[in-house]
Amino acid sequence: MVSKKQRLASVDALRGFDMFWIIGGEALFLPLFALTGWSIFQFGHGQMQHTEWHGFSFYDLIFPLFIFLSGVTLGLANKSLQGLPISQRAPVYRKAIKRLFLLILLGVLYNHGWGTGIPADLGEIRYASVLARIGFAWFFAAMIVWHFGIRTQYAITAGILLGYWLIQAAAGDYTPLGSVNAWVDQHFLPGITYQNRAYDPEGVLSTIPAISNAMFGVFAGRWLSRNAGDHGAILKGLFIGAAACLLVGFLWHWIYPVNKELWTSSFVLITCGCCLLLLGIFYLVVDMWHWETFTYFFSVIGCNAILVYLGTSLVNWTYSSKSVFGGIASALPEAAGILVIACGVILLQWLVLRFLFKRGIFISP
């Protein structure tokens, strides 16, 4: 669907910041470290790697931040379908279901990109995906927001986190092979798992707590809407919420490890705390201080985030960058040449997105 609706600048900028690392930002740290020898770039490179099992890195935040921001848009709209006749609700349901299935299909396309192609054997397709999880989290969050009161929404979110913990704690095993997630995926997930693992990191059971990531976004978006114009109240609420989530998440980690692959409830709280913190910072920079260049650069990316994500699988941007900047890169020392190509990857994608942005074309499922 192509739309030309009004966007909230801070949310689009934060979404663009999130996707910046996907389109090539993560590749900048290693050549910068090689050129300067500064340890901060070495640290940054380390943060651009997913944690292998228990623990947390900045790169683990990218996926849940996108889910959180999808919830923010729901909270800003603050729509309710309670009491409406089915004739008015049906078109909304159809649109939501269409969005969900489109994201599932695009996720399958993304999974089998990079020149491999979707297998002819339906049993060899990987159906679970990042985009599918975003779709499911948004869909069920929307159902909760549209059909329940605010207090019930909080109760459902807390129930999801506590219930998921109890399920995993009952199994008592947080290993890749022994987790309840692996058992559920082996018995109920169609197709294949990621890299043929015992579990899928975007599998059946671990999708449930991701709904809470979207719901925290809903609560943040509603807070932004209710306190529109009161900058102090908005920042206070976002930062207090961030501190509370981080504190509870870190304390919970001692008995219930933070783990992205299993998407544990403690991981949800840590990521939501970071999301609230980033949203507060972006609200400050974008909506209060009006840093126009900063806002513009990231908003160009954020307004077509799904297109950005698909492009990383379907287009070989490194080849394109080498085709344009390869001559300059080859004339420089190796580390500088790698940096030029990495910057070229980002620049070429940004220019395509700017072309769409300038024309008010925002492509979303």
Side-chain angles (χ1 to χ4, degrees), residues 68-250:
F68 173 87
L69 291 172
S70 73
V72 171
T73 59
L74 280 172
L76 288 169
N78 203 23
K79 180 190 295 184
S80 175
L81 300 182
Q82 295 182 76
L84 294 180
I86 189 63
S87 59
Q88 294 184 35
R89 285 184 281 146
V92 182
Y93 294 151
R94 284 196 295 269
K95 186 176 180 181
I97 293 171
K98 177 183 175 182
R99 174 190 173 102
L100 172 61
F101 279 96
L102 181 56
L103 284 171
I104 293 172
L105 290 174
L106 291 176
V108 170
L109 181 63
Y110 178 90
N111 285 343
H112 300 282
W114 300 287
T116 60
I118 301 173
D121 184 350
L122 297 181
E124 293 300 312
I125 295 174
R126 182 180 172 227
Y127 297 98
S129 68
V130 167
L131 291 177
R133 174 160 293 179
I134 291 170
F136 279 114
W138 177 88
F139 179 83
F140 286 108
M143 293 300 113
I144 294 169
V145 170
W146 293 343
H147 296 95
F148 296 97
I150 294 175
R151 290 184 179 180
T152 306
Q153 292 173 30
Y154 280 104
I156 292 173
T157 303
I160 290 172
L161 295 178
L162 292 172
Y164 187 60
W165 172 46
L166 292 175
I167 291 171
Q168 291 187 311
D173 195 331
Y174 297 107
T175 64
L177 294 177
S179 67
V180 65
N181 300 63
W183 185 87
V184 170
D185 286 345
Q186 288 168 18
H187 287 82
F188 299 104
L189 182 66
I192 63 171
T193 59
Y194 178 66
Q195 297 180 345
N196 293 309
R197 297 177 183 177
Y199 69 98
D200 195 294
E202 283 79 54
V204 176
L205 196 61
S206 59
T207 296
I208 296 174
I211 300 169
S212 293
N213 288 89
M215 288 306 300
F216 273 92
V218 168
F219 303 147
R222 187 178 292 132
W223 183 259
L224 288 170
S225 179
R226 285 188 172 183
N227 295 279
D230 189 345
H231 299 319
I234 286 175
L235 291 179
K236 182 179 179 181
L238 292 177
F239 290 146
I240 289 176
C245 288
L246 290 172
L247 177 61
V248 176
F250 279 121

